[in-house]
Amino acid sequence: MAPTEALASTALNVVSRVSGRLAGAGAYALFHMPLARSKMRSGERELFGAADVARLAVEGKSAVVYRWGDGTRPVLLVHGWQSRGSRFADFVPGLLERGYSVITFDAPGHGDASGRSTTILEYRHMLSELHRQYGDFEAVVAHSLGALGSIFALLNGVKAKRIATISGVCDFDYLIEEFCTAVPLRAPLKAQLRDRVGKNLFSSLPPEQRPFSAVDAAPVLDAPLLVVHDEDDPRILVDQGRRLAGAFGDRARLVVTNGLGHRRILGDPDVVRTVLDFVEHGPDRAAEAGTEAAATP
């Protein structure tokens, strides 16, 4: 456990013995704070220096939006937790060559955006606003938490012809479990966190669907889905990818890679080519390009 996480765990569990409500509020706040902020890599600077850059207001904070192209045939790239839009650098040239405009962003608390935290509601807000500006997306390509945030936004009015997830989260409960493992919380405090998440983030959903899961969105969304996940991903286990693909049934294609982990998968040439082919041609072509195509459960 990192020193920051160890200190937070001790403080929250001690406070919970005095005031469960106060500790619950603290756990909820910490849950939405990335404890590390990614910096732009040297190999990403030239590409992102050529982008049109704008700010997008989000709940008193600002996201940073990067765009290439004239705005027609837009493809949106959505980063995950403790990440940033520039991690999709390997996807941008190929999308531009195929005639797409490309949009990505740094969410609040990430990259060059302001703020110290973000929520799935803010992801929904950002995607909704970019959808309002650019119209229906040709595709949404999302990594990690960005996958669940994108599907939540698509369930709430954002439109995309195709969806591609890489190392994607299927169940918000998975994130709660991961957090409570990284920052060990006593059982009552964990229950409080889950209750706050359900009420604060997903009050629009029926009680039995809180916290949100992409499984519940699958019957509503009709876009084809490409799911790319690494067998050796230590952060978001491949079972989440299999569960996501299984929920979409014959509208989904699951491609399982090996040895790429959670982050390096974004720079793998085969993965990039598979996703680009899916964006341009749909699921059949993507299946041919995959390093290992696995039938959906």
Side-chain angles (χ1 to χ4, degrees):
M1 191 190 318
T4 303
E5 294 168 343
L7 181 61
S9 173
T10 300
L12 289 171
N13 284 305
V14 168
V15 171
S16 71
R17 298 179 186 277
V18 179
S19 171
R21 184 175 181 179
L22 183 60
Y28 180 78
L30 184 63
F31 179 68
H32 292 106
M33 289 183 183
L35 298 180
R37 187 182 287 254
S38 296
K39 296 181 179 180
M40 191 174 293
R41 297 168 181 161
S42 58
E44 301 165 349
R45 293 189 182 281
E46 182 177 357
L47 175 65
F48 275 72
D52 291 325
V53 182
R55 291 271 173 177
L56 176 64
V58 186
E59 298 295 325
K61 299 168 284 189
S62 65
V64 181
V65 179
Y66 307 90
R67 180 176 66 81
W68 299 261
D70 60 6
T72 59
R73 302 183 73 209
V75 172
L76 181 64
L77 310 176
V78 184
H79 72 75
W81 196 245
Q82 296 182 344
S83 188
R84 57 185 298 146
S86 63
R87 296 299 181 259
F88 284 102
D90 289 321
F91 292 82
V92 176
L95 287 168
L96 293 175
E97 289 171 5
R98 288 164 168 79
Y100 297 101
S101 296
V102 184
I103 304 154
T104 189
F105 59 82
D106 296 341
H110 295 75
D112 292 331
S114 69
R116 296 181 58 197
S117 65
T118 196
T119 70
I120 194 170
L121 295 181
E122 292 178 354
Y123 266 75
R124 182 181 68 183
H125 173 85
M126 289 181 287
L127 268 69
S128 297
E129 179 59 23
L130 293 171
H131 179 244
R132 185 191 68 78
Q133 291 182 26
Y134 296 104
D136 293 358
F137 297 111
E138 293 292 315
V140 171
V141 181
H143 178 244
S144 193
L145 169 65
L148 193 61
S150 296
I151 291 172
F152 188 56
L154 290 163
L155 186 64
N156 286 270
V158 175
K159 302 294 183 185
K161 293 180 182 178
R162 291 173 181 137
I163 311 164
T165 69
I166 305 169
S167 309
V169 179
C170 180
D171 307 301
F172 203 90
D173 247 340
Y174 185 94
L175 299 175
I176 296 174
E177 292 293 335
E178 185 187 53
F179 174 79
C180 291
T181 297
V183 182
L185 302 180
R186 296 171 60 238
L189 192 49
K190 178 179 176 180
Q192 268 213 53
L193 174 61
R194 191 177 188 279
D195 184 61
R196 284 175 181 266
V197 164
K199 290 179 179 177
N200 294 350
L201 301 183
F202 305 115
S203 60
S204 62
L205 299 177
E208 66 274 11
Q209 293 184 10
R210 304 176 196 167
F212 176 67
S213 170
V215 169
D216 296 318
V220 181
L221 302 180
D222 56 8
L225 171 70
L226 172 68
V227 177
V228 183
H229 216 113
D230 195 75
E231 188 76 44
D232 305 310
D233 189 332
R235 184 73 182 271
I236 307 298
L237 299 183
V238 69
D239 287 350
Q240 283 286 287
R242 292 192 172 110
R243 179 167 160 80
L244 177 58
F248 278 72
D250 59 8
R251 285 172 292 133
R253 182 71 190 181
L254 173 64
V255 176
V256 177
T257 61
N258 292 280
L260 298 176
H262 186 66
R263 299 190 185 278
R264 286 192 301 113
I265 194 170
L266 287 175
D268 180 76
D270 286 336
V271 169
V272 173
R273 183 169 55 252
T274 296
V275 172
L276 295 183
D277 284 346
F278 170 78
V279 170
E280 187 171 16
H281 301 292
D284 293 338
R285 178 72 173 269
E288 295 172 5
T291 53
E292 176 189 332
T296 55

